[in-house]
Amino acid sequence: MSSATRTLISPATLARPRGKAAYWTVFTGVVVLFALAFLFPVYWMVTGAMKSPDEVAQTPPTIVPKHWHLSGYADAWDLMQLPEHLWNTVVQAAGAWAFQLVFCTAAAYALSKLKPAFGNVVLGGILATLMVPAQALVVPKYLTVADLPFIHTSLLNDPLGIWLPAVANAFNLYLLKRFFDQLPRDVLEAAEIDGAGKLRILWSVVLPMSRPVLGVVSIFALVAVWQDFLWPLMVFSDTDKQPISVALVQLSQNIQLTVLIAAMVIASIPMVALFLVFQRHIIAGISAGSTKG
């Protein structure tokens, strides 16, 4: 015996013309309000860089610039050395992504499919690090990077100082492990019967089936490095090697507000473009992680 689902508005009411009109009016209003809440700050930032310094600071503010000035973006590109710092950020983010994808995928595969001794204990210890505030780990990480154990070398002002700590990402590792746990066991057993080893199964079977979750982990890894400020500030004392997030603060002392806003817009473009290009893969990865394979 099936029980009827109770909703705020009954199906009979929605079937009437007045009910349909009220429903779609409320629905459209809510969608528009949410869109404005998310998109208006972006519009304000983009147009703020096109205003004059006096207009951007005036009260009450203007919604649309009285005079459109595109020179703020050109000044930001030159005065704040954006090409150099953007390249530094790309190098740091790409290296952290590659290291994290390789090592987190290998660790998640081992914990999920190879079933090592004390694997649950190791996984529990890794997940326990999620309970530790990130700020509490800054000093130990800095001391480790400043004097690497055993080899006693410093990774300060070196991209490895960003890449290696990024590998220890418990959340992405757990996300990969949960996805690997849901892969059909029949497919893996068929590969074993055909004579494929563990590494071959990972490369030829598991990774092709894991493209959605690998896309999600890639986005998380890139965004985490791109928007990080405190750790790159501690690692890179050399201004020429600093990423864009640190350089915007360090070089903003004697820069006009409109130029600084323009630099922020330029710095955010790569991540916005990355999301727009891979949004289908992100949604697919999130939904794939919630279903049984």
Side-chain angles (χ1 to χ4, degrees):
M1 182 176 180
S2 60
S3 58
T5 303
R6 300 186 63 180
T7 59
L8 187 62
I9 303 176
S10 66
T13 303
L14 286 176
R16 302 190 188 103
R18 183 177 298 178
K20 282 185 178 180
Y23 171 78
W24 284 109
T25 300
V26 173
F27 177 78
T28 304
V30 171
V31 171
V32 170
L33 287 177
F34 271 91
L36 289 176
F38 284 99
L39 296 179
F40 183 75
V42 178
Y43 166 81
W44 189 264
M45 183 172 63
V46 173
T47 57
M50 300 180 184
K51 299 177 182 179
S52 64
D54 294 334
E55 185 180 359
V56 77
Q58 79 176 35
T59 303
T62 55
I63 303 299
V64 179
K66 298 177 181 178
H67 302 284
W68 298 83
H69 303 280
L70 297 177
S71 58
Y73 290 99
D75 292 341
W77 187 261
D78 296 329
L79 296 178
M80 304 195 73
Q81 304 171 357
L82 291 188
E84 179 180 350
H85 294 295
L86 282 172
W87 175 248
N88 293 339
T89 311
V90 169
V91 171
Q92 295 166 24
W97 164 77
F99 271 77
Q100 194 172 137
L101 211 61
V102 170
F103 289 101
C104 284
T105 301
Y109 177 71
L111 292 172
S112 175
K113 299 303 180 184
L114 303 185
K115 305 296 182 182
F118 306 106
N120 290 333
V121 176
V122 173
L123 179 63
I126 293 173
L127 295 180
T129 62
L130 293 174
M131 304 297 107
V132 181
Q135 294 80 0
L137 301 175
V138 170
V139 174
K141 281 201 305 183
Y142 180 82
L143 295 177
T144 303
V145 169
D147 185 15
L148 209 60
F150 304 113
I151 60 177
H152 299 290
T153 185
S154 174
L155 296 182
L156 298 180
N157 291 312
D158 191 315
L160 284 172
I162 300 294
W163 297 347
L164 295 183
V167 173
N169 191 306
F171 178 77
N172 285 347
L173 189 150
Y174 181 70
L175 194 65
L176 287 164
K177 181 188 179 299
R178 288 295 301 164
F179 186 88
F180 293 161
D181 289 342
Q182 297 172 6
L183 292 179
R185 187 152 190 85
D186 295 343
V187 177
L188 305 182
E189 291 176 349
E192 288 182 2
I193 294 174
D194 290 341
K198 299 297 183 183
L199 187 59
R200 181 68 176 180
I201 293 174
L202 172 63
W203 182 259
S204 300
V205 179
V206 174
L207 291 183
M209 297 175 65
S210 305
R211 288 176 183 172
V213 73
L214 292 176
V216 174
V217 169
S218 298
I219 295 295
F220 287 165
L222 291 172
V223 171
V225 176
W226 198 275
Q227 68 180 7
D228 195 11
F229 171 76
L230 180 59
W231 182 242
L233 177 64
M234 299 179 67
V235 172
F236 294 102
S237 57
D238 187 350
T239 308
D240 294 334
K241 296 182 179 180
Q242 290 175 343
I244 190 68
S245 59
V246 178
L248 287 178
V249 177
Q250 300 283 50
L251 300 176
S252 63
Q253 304 301 321
N254 300 316
I255 297 294
Q256 288 183 348
L257 181 58
T258 53
V259 176
L260 179 59
I261 296 175
M264 293 178 180
V265 173
I266 295 174
S268 63
I269 289 176
M271 287 296 99
V272 174
L274 188 69
F275 172 78
L276 293 177
V277 171
F278 294 103
Q279 61 176 328
R280 184 175 300 177
H281 299 281
I282 297 173
I283 297 172
I286 294 173
S287 60
S290 61
T291 59
K292 288 287 184 182

